[in-house]
Amino acid sequence: MDPELLDAFLPGGDSISVKPSSPNGGTKRCDLVVDGDVSVRQTRTWWSNGESASTVATAYDKMDDGQVTDDNRYLYSGTGAVGKTATSCKSSEHSGQDLYAVIQVFTPDRSDSGAMKKLITAYTKALEDSGECG
């Protein structure tokens, strides 16, 4: 994924680091930390087949006033987004589930719905092309 897609959501700072975590068996998270504060969180998570981006978005902060794309695969706001991977993205470890990409921005005063739409689309595509989709 092009790191420049994150630029609109990162504050100025002296140091940036990445903090990966796995809060449960179906979720992996990556926090981008600037000067000790989480600025952007990228999450990949498996949810039951048939869920929508809108349904998944209700479980996450920063999705206020999200817009849904015509194909219902993406919900995005200026500070958060959810993308549903293609139906061909499956995993034997998560049968009966679909993979979703989630982005949350915690940087104050950083909101850009156009940039977020590009970011969630790229992140979702990167997941589809990754080893997550078996």
Side-chain angles (χ1 to χ4, degrees), residues 53 67-69 71-76 82-84 120-121 124:
Q67 301 175 46
V68 179
T69 58
D71 62 3
N72 291 315
R73 283 188 60 198
Y74 301 96
L75 177 141
Y76 62 95
V82 173
K84 181 178 182 180
I120 193 61
T121 302
T124 304

Side-chain angles (χ1 to χ4, degrees), residues 23-96:
N24 63 53
T27 301
K28 293 181 182 174
R29 241 182 1 216
C30 180
D31 289 345
L32 296 175
V33 180
V34 177
D35 293 345
D37 295 319
V38 175
S39 294
V40 177
R41 175 172 289 155
Q42 295 175 282
T43 304
R44 51 188 184 232
T45 184
W46 292 92
W47 279 60
S48 298
N49 283 344
E51 298 294 344
S52 68
S54 298
T55 303
V56 173
T58 63
Y60 294 91
D61 292 333
K62 307 298 183 180
M63 306 293 164
D64 302 337
D65 301 320
Q67 301 175 46
V68 179
T69 58
D70 290 340
D71 62 3
N72 291 315
R73 283 188 60 198
Y74 301 96
L75 177 141
Y76 62 95
S77 71
T79 57
V82 173
K84 181 178 182 180
T85 58
T87 54
S88 60
C89 181
K90 297 296 177 192
S91 168
S92 58
E93 293 178 30
H94 303 283
S95 62

Side-chain angles (χ1 to χ4, degrees), residues 103-126:
I103 297 173
Q104 297 166 278
V105 175
F106 298 101
T107 307
D109 303 321
R110 296 289 178 146
S111 177
D112 186 330
S113 60
M116 182 58 73
K117 185 177 181 184
K118 290 178 186 175
L119 179 58
I120 193 61
T121 302
Y123 182 37
T124 304
K125 174 75 171 127

